[in-house]
Amino acid sequence: MEREFDAYSLLQVDPLAEEIVLDAAYRALARRYHPDGDSPNPARMADINRAYSLIRTPELRRRYDTERKFHPVGPAPTTPSPVSDLRSRLQRERETAADVAAGADIGPGSALDFGRYEGWSLRELARRDPDYLRWLARHSSGIRYRSAIDLVLREARTAGAHG
């Protein structure tokens, strides 16, 4: 198994998600990236199909999870220094405080309070994983962030066009 390829990450689901969630995530992504879909992307669709083929049944998933446990995906884990951890927390708090001061209940600098990106600001996510933000804007758990997500993604597109 390749170290860079993670089926769960590609399907945007938690490794502990139930089978029905995996199926739903696959169908939603396939609807989007299929050549006849909303945002056709054959390369992305091929990756989605490959990821789903690795974990689509309980037996395949057990096999994949076992392999994943012995060959973890991604870079080696690092322990953040207390100083860098404090800096990022203070930055998130400043962004959130600025949004609250501006009268926004949940704004672009707001930090998520759930999921795999708990504690991340929407701006950080726009830079690092915009696909997750697009998914979150469609998902019921992200409804309270929807307008802020739209704003952050618009800002990122504008910055990308000018940068």
Side-chain angles (χ1 to χ4, degrees), residues 3 10 13 18 29 45 60 77-78 82 84 88 92 95 99 112 114 121 124-125 132 138 150 152 154 159 163:
R3 278 187 63 72
L10 206 125
V13 295
E18 293 184 25
L29 291 169
M45 190 65 220
L60 288 170
T78 59
S84 68
S88 61
R92 284 193 302 271
E95 288 177 347
D99 290 334
L112 294 182
F114 63 91
S121 76
E124 286 176 297
L125 275 169
Y132 176 79
R138 295 188 313 268
D150 290 342
V152 166
R154 209 172 315 120

Side-chain angles (χ1 to χ4, degrees), residues 126-140:
R127 285 190 299 272
R128 300 225 177 121
D129 195 351
D131 286 339
Y132 176 79
L133 274 185
R134 287 185 201 96
W135 171 84
L136 185 61
R138 295 188 313 268
H139 195 271
S140 61

